[in-house]
Amino acid sequence: MFIDWQDKLKRIGNRVVLFDIPIAMHCHHYNINLHKMLEDSLGLEGVRLIYNAAEESNHTAFKIMLEEYPLIRSDKSKLEFAASIYQHCGLGVINFQDVGPNGGRIISPSSHHVTGWLAKHGLRKTPGCHFTRGWIAGALEAIYDLPVGYFEVREMNCKMMRDPVCEFDVRLKGGRHGD
Amino acid sequence: MAIDSLKIMRAIMEGSKIRDEKGIIPLFGVYLSLYFTSYYNIVSFDFLSRMGKRRAEEAEKLLIGAAQECGYSTFHGIRQSWEWEELVQPMLETVDDQIEGFLAVATAFGWGGEIEVIDLIPGNRLHFRVHESYESAGYLKRLGIAEVGKCYMLRGVAAAFMDLLYGDAYPDGCFTFSAIEPFCRAKGDTFCEFIAEKSST
Ligand SMILES: [Zn+2]
Ligand SMILES: [Zn+2]
């Protein structure tokens, strides 16, 4: 799939946009500071806030981006597109091979948040990719034309805990796989 | 010599596309990500509302602090990077010009569009104007008119710029300065303005 990034990522007036959606570039210091601030101040509620924010913003953005690319029709090519966005935004590598509208498993062998967290705070005792969980939920809900909150994404293994990859389990909210 | 922010911007856009097999963007000595401003706005403004009125001051302080510490480390990394040396350093005539370089990077990062320095008193005070901060745009869209300034990230960053230039040598100078936002688009003002001065505490 060919995407002209030079054309899609640009400055229009006072905004920097990707597919005409405003974006900001931030470094791992800021992203991880926000993550830690939310966990330290609000505990599980803060974790949920990161997840929900990523889910909502990604769902909205993917709806817009997929509308702009009507040629990306099949679910497989939409998932490829999502992985490509993740990679081009510097968020990492994500592998959607084993997922569908009923849920499934997703692997991420590297990510901005893992690299950033390890650089700033070292290993964790609990999984830490709350942003990526929400990002996955929002992207899949947009791809399968489902509402926000349809999926629940949990992280089973995390590189922040020295696991070899981050592994995510996607289920329909309520706990079961759809199949 | 004026700082050519377009040149920096082009380099960032180019740099953003250099992604190794890990999907990570190492640039200016940090790992960079590009993501929708709506995410950052939901995080900041939902955080403020979850912290409630009782913890509002603490929440604002945390948001500003998160950005100030980040701005301090990031822009320290930025000015030590080869990209800065190659692209920006040749455009700088004095130490104070570094502020122009920092602001040009902020524009290229999508933080607020055009940014103008109104006043810089070396060692004492930095006053600049931001035309369209993403925080103010996001607040207006999500929550309407605010009673106080809402650009916490830029407040932290404004102070961090002064910390880097006129605070103790890195890494001891962070939080030497603090910034206020007397005007903010989220309050209905035409621009956002930031004034960083020595912290009183
Ligand atoms: Zn993880
Ligand atoms: Zn403002």
Side-chain angles (χ1 to χ4, degrees), chain A residues 66-82:
Chain A
L66 289 170
E67 263 169 38
E68 204 177 307
Y69 268 100
L71 287 177
I72 305 178
R73 263 191 294 249
S74 71
D75 289 350
K76 188 170 172 272
S77 54
K78 286 178 185 173
L79 292 171
E80 256 174 47
F81 174 71

Side-chain angles (χ1 to χ4, degrees), chain B residues 94-138:
Chain B
T94 66
V95 175
D96 309 337
D97 279 353
Q98 281 194 36
I99 291 284
E100 296 276 359
F102 289 167
L103 293 174
V105 172
T107 296
F109 278 5
W111 292 355
E114 202 187 317
I115 305 178
E116 309 161 47
V117 174
I118 292 174
D119 189 23
L120 171 64
I121 304 170
N124 274 310
R125 188 172 193 265
L126 168 66
H127 181 180
F128 63 87
R129 173 180 292 168
V130 178
H131 283 248
E132 194 181 331
S133 90
Y134 75 73
E135 295 172 286
S136 65

Side-chain angles (χ1 to χ4, degrees), chain A:
Chain A
M1 173 189 332
F2 176 74
I3 296 164
D4 182 353
W5 292 98
Q6 188 69 38
D7 180 55
K8 295 300 167 200
L9 178 67
K10 58 195 165 196
R11 186 172 162 198
I12 298 179
N14 281 319
R15 296 172 176 192
V16 175
V17 296
L18 179 67
F19 292 87
D20 295 338
I21 308 165
I23 60 124
M25 300 184 207
H26 276 296
C27 65
H28 68 287
H29 293 292
Y30 188 59
N31 289 326
I32 300 304
N33 276 356
L34 289 178
H35 177 155
K36 190 145 190 330
M37 174 192 81
L38 283 157
E39 277 192 331
D40 289 351
S41 318
L42 293 171
L44 287 178
E45 199 189 344
V47 168
R48 194 71 211 177
L49 200 159
I50 300 172
Y51 179 103
N52 289 346
E55 181 182 28
E56 183 186 327
S57 55
N58 223 29
H59 184 266
T60 308
F62 267 86
K63 282 268 182 201
I64 296 169
M65 293 189 290
L66 289 170
E67 263 169 38
E68 204 177 307
Y69 268 100
L71 287 177
I72 305 178
R73 263 191 294 249
S74 71
D75 289 350
K76 188 170 172 272
S77 54
K78 286 178 185 173
L79 292 171
E80 256 174 47
F81 174 71
S84 168
I85 293 281
Y86 197 75
Q87 191 162 6
H88 275 88
C89 288
L91 297 172
V93 171
I94 200 153
N95 184 339
F96 283 113
Q97 268 166 9
D98 192 19
V99 73
N102 294 318
R105 291 261 165 160
I106 289 169
I107 302 277
S108 169
S110 78
S111 84
H112 171 89
H113 286 82
V114 165
T115 308
W117 183 278
L118 292 176
K120 280 181 83 70
H121 301 297
L123 288 170
R124 287 171 62 100
K125 291 198 169 74
T126 53
C129 297
H130 321 313
F131 170 87
T132 302
R133 287 194 296 120
W135 189 97
I136 290 169
L140 293 179
E141 286 151 2
I143 285 170
Y144 297 120
D145 207 14
L146 296 163
V148 169
Y150 186 88
F151 289 119
E152 180 66 35
V153 180
R154 284 182 289 182
E155 189 174 21
M156 317 310 285
N157 295 299
C158 182
K159 285 183 83 172
M160 292 183 197
M161 297 163 61
R162 214 197 284 275
D163 289 322
V165 291
C166 295
E167 188 174 0
F168 303 91
D169 176 69
V170 184
R171 286 166 187 241
L172 275 59
K173 210 165 232 170
R176 62 186 180 87
H177 281 115
D179 43 12

Side-chain angles (χ1 to χ4, degrees), chain B residues 2 33 60 79 118 137 162 167 179 184:
Chain B
S33 71
E60 292 186 343
R79 69 177 177 178
I118 292 174
M162 290 299 273
C184 180

Side-chain angles (χ1 to χ4, degrees), chain B residues 133 136 149-151 181 183-186 192 194:
Chain B
S133 90
S136 65
K150 289 292 166 191
C151 302
E181 189 186 14
F183 299 103
C184 180
R185 288 180 72 238
C192 299
F194 302 87

